[in-house]
Amino acid sequence: MSSAASASLATWRSAIPFARIGFLNMLAYRARYYVGVLTYLFNVSVYYFIWRAVFHTGATVGGLSLDDMITYVAVSWAIRSFYFNEIDRDLAAQMQEGRLAMNLIRPVDFQTVMVADAAGQSAFRALLFTIPISVVLAILFPLKPPASFAAAAMFAVSAVLSFFLVAGLNFLVGLIAIRSKSILGILRAKYLVLELLSGLLIPTTLFPEPLRSILLVSPFPHINFTPAALYLGKATGLEAARLLGLQAGWTVLLLWLGHWAWKRSQTRITIQGG
């Protein structure tokens, strides 16, 4: 094993305790996730009736049947409950409260710590949020199972990549706070833009050209659209490999950019609060 690979492995091993802390911290707020199940159920129910009205005049829309679309919506909201994290908001709060400077003296890479903590939180959500949501939705709506065993396996891989993709993106957004001090407006805009461009609100294939082609080579559809398309079997063979390759490539690139930007931003950290 090369020295670089050994160093990388050692870094991730040192991050495991932070993932555990993230998981345990969520136990203190587990009641809100029971309420969250009802919130997500409400969201899916609204889209269910909207899409029923849309499909009333046609058998398919954008290559999706009504059952496909309802499954797409349910799967998209379920995986959102897993990959969702607030690395950007947490990083901005650390900046404003003067806690960010402490990370300069830690022996563990700051980005790794933030991602590991978010991973622990997502593991908690998977158990007490994503799974209950999926069960409730499967009972109430006519959802389709994965198109095949291979589709289920690729969906699982893609869902995990979605977490790291969003984590990398959120870390980059959070770093803006080092220069601007407050990013509340940016965070609000980011949530709205991501929900639209990720395919959560509308499948990416329903966007008009050339916007659709542009989106499909950007990182955004790989947050929601790619996992849901793989689940439904709408992407198979070489197309599925291409989508997973793009998703993995953007994930690595965003994480690398976050690491690079953090190194460049350290000299600009100023202490607020205390």
Side-chain angles (χ1 to χ4, degrees):
M1 182 179 296
S2 66
S3 58
S6 298
S8 178
L9 182 60
T11 298
W12 284 107
R13 282 179 176 173
S14 64
I16 292 176
F18 294 98
R20 180 176 178 273
I21 291 171
F23 185 94
L24 294 176
N25 283 341
M26 297 304 291
L27 289 174
Y29 304 100
R30 59 185 179 275
R32 71 179 180 178
Y33 289 100
Y34 302 138
V35 177
V37 172
L38 297 178
T39 302
Y40 273 61
L41 174 61
F42 174 79
N43 287 330
V44 174
S45 297
V46 169
Y47 283 102
Y48 171 75
F49 290 109
I50 290 175
W51 287 115
R52 274 191 61 183
V54 171
F55 278 86
H56 181 69
T57 58
T60 62
V61 174
L64 299 173
S65 66
L66 176 59
D67 286 348
D68 287 337
M69 187 65 77
I70 299 307
T71 302
Y72 177 93
V73 170
V75 169
S76 294
W77 281 96
I79 62 171
R80 182 187 185 274
S81 68
F82 166 71
Y83 69 65
F84 177 82
N85 65 74
E86 295 186 309
I87 290 177
D88 43 11
R89 189 180 296 274
D90 185 25
L91 203 160
Q94 290 188 43
M95 183 65 198
Q96 291 181 325
E97 296 167 9
R99 294 183 287 118
L100 186 58
M102 293 300 297
N103 291 290
L104 295 174
I105 61 176
R106 280 182 172 175
V108 183
D109 177 68
F110 177 56
Q111 183 192 44
T112 303
V113 170
M114 296 293 289
V115 173
D117 181 78
Q121 296 180 28
S122 285
F124 177 90
R125 290 192 184 96
L127 292 175
L128 292 184
F129 201 19
T130 306
I131 292 177
I133 287 172
S134 301
V135 171
V136 172
L137 293 179
I139 292 174
L140 296 179
F141 299 104
L143 305 185
K144 301 173 69 173
S148 64
F149 178 79
M154 289 189 292
F155 164 75
V157 172
S158 185
V160 173
L161 285 173
S162 291
F163 163 77
F164 286 102
L165 180 60
V166 173
L169 180 62
N170 284 352
F171 187 79
L172 278 169
V173 172
L175 289 178
I176 298 174
I178 295 178
R179 297 173 182 268
S180 65
K181 311 309 177 188
S182 176
I183 59 170
L184 183 58
I186 294 174
L187 291 180
R188 289 173 176 170
K190 186 211 71 173
Y191 286 130
L192 294 175
V193 171
L194 277 191
E195 287 188 354
L196 177 62
L197 300 186
S198 69
L200 178 65
L201 301 183
I202 304 173
T204 306
T205 50
L206 297 188
F207 281 85
E209 290 288 4
L211 180 57
R212 182 197 314 164
S213 297
I214 296 172
L215 277 177
L216 287 174
V217 295
S218 74
F220 305 112
H222 303 299
I223 296 173
N224 267 102
F225 174 75
T226 291
L230 292 172
Y231 180 97
L232 289 169
K234 298 302 179 180
T236 58
L238 292 177
E239 177 62 13
R242 186 184 72 85
L243 288 177
L244 281 174
L246 280 172
Q247 187 182 28
W250 276 114
T251 300
V252 172
L253 178 60
L254 289 176
L255 289 172
W256 179 84
L257 285 175
H259 179 77
W260 174 82
W262 166 245
K263 294 296 184 183
R264 293 289 299 271
S265 300
Q266 290 180 38
T267 57
R268 294 180 174 268
I269 295 177
T270 56
I271 305 301
Q272 300 185 71

